Amino acid sequence: MNRFEDVWEIYTEAFPVDERRSRISQCRIMNNTRYQIIPYLREGQLIGFMGLWKLPSFVFLEHFAIKKEFRGLGYGTEMLKELLILHGERMILEVEPPENHVAQSRISFYERHGFSLNTYKYIQPPYEDGQRALPLFLMSYPKSLSKEAFDKTVGELYQFVYEVSADKA
């Protein structure tokens, strides 16, 4: 992708250190055939991007960010609608617990687009040494997950995205 530097700038601005990879790790996964970055352009200008994984049972929307100056203008809705048309058979994403206004707004945004909040216990493993594991929730599209489906989903995330076993996270 020719716009890596621009995407990297949005990525590092939008996500705290514990919720992102190092540059070296990000470059490494760009060679993984299951992973892709989808830049979102308008009139040749990068508005935002999505980083997603095509896993055996679902598509995982790992990172979704809009450039700061374009937030709140409807681009996120456009991007998500397009993604659901292309990959909406079964989609998973992670969100922070609804403990503050920003997290609550983010969850509401996804719920307006048909995602369900699954409140089973979930820990996002650290991306890098020295980072923290994070208590998050999984959201699923087009419906909520049974406990059995949730456990299978976590297993795939840990195996393919975080490269850890479920018992070590």
Side-chain angles (χ1 to χ4, degrees):
M1 180 173 124
N2 297 337
R3 296 187 174 266
F4 180 80
E5 292 301 324
D6 295 332
V7 167
W8 185 255
E9 184 178 321
I10 297 170
Y11 179 69
T12 56
E13 185 273 323
F15 296 97
V17 171
D18 287 332
E19 294 180 25
R20 66 179 191 241
R21 290 181 179 80
S22 68
R23 186 182 191 92
I24 292 169
S25 294
Q26 186 64 37
C27 288
R28 181 181 59 82
I29 67 158
M30 302 273 290
N31 294 319
N32 188 316
T33 58
R34 294 184 183 278
Y35 180 79
Q36 75 179 109
I37 288 181
I38 302 172
Y40 190 73
L41 304 166
R42 282 293 174 263
E43 298 176 12
Q45 184 167 15
L46 181 66
I47 302 294
F49 78 95
M50 295 178 165
L52 49 99
W53 292 82
K54 293 178 185 175
L55 301 180
S57 303
F58 57 91
V59 171
F60 174 52
L61 178 55
E62 182 179 32
H63 290 104
F64 177 16
I66 306 293
K67 201 171 186 178
K68 197 178 235 175
E69 61 264 32
F70 297 113
R71 292 180 192 156
L73 300 176
Y75 291 116
T77 293
E78 283 181 29
M79 290 172 68
L80 191 57
K81 283 182 178 178
E82 287 179 22
L83 183 69
L84 291 173
I85 289 168
L86 293 173
H87 300 289
E89 57 280 346
R90 185 158 176 247
M91 189 164 296
I92 301 293
L93 56 87
E94 299 165 331
V95 291
E96 296 168 345
E99 297 169 350
N100 60 53
H101 177 70
V102 172
Q104 292 165 1
S105 295
R106 188 171 291 124
I107 290 168
S108 294
F109 170 79
Y110 289 118
E111 287 175 335
R112 286 192 303 275
H113 292 90
F115 283 81
S116 296
L117 183 66
N118 299 277
T119 56
Y120 305 111
K121 183 181 178 194
Y122 173 73
I123 302 293
Q124 179 197 62
Y127 281 111
E128 308 281 337
D129 289 340
Q131 290 181 334
R132 298 178 300 134
L134 300 172
L136 300 176
F137 286 124
L138 295 183
M139 295 191 78
S140 55
Y141 178 92
K143 60 185 181 178
S144 60
L145 301 174
S146 67
K147 179 64 168 126
E148 182 181 330
F150 177 85
D151 291 342
K152 182 179 179 192
T153 297
V154 171
E156 282 187 37
L157 287 172
Y158 282 9
Q159 177 184 355
F160 294 105
V161 176
Y162 298 103
E163 299 175 334
V164 298
S165 64
D167 59 338
K168 291 188 179 175

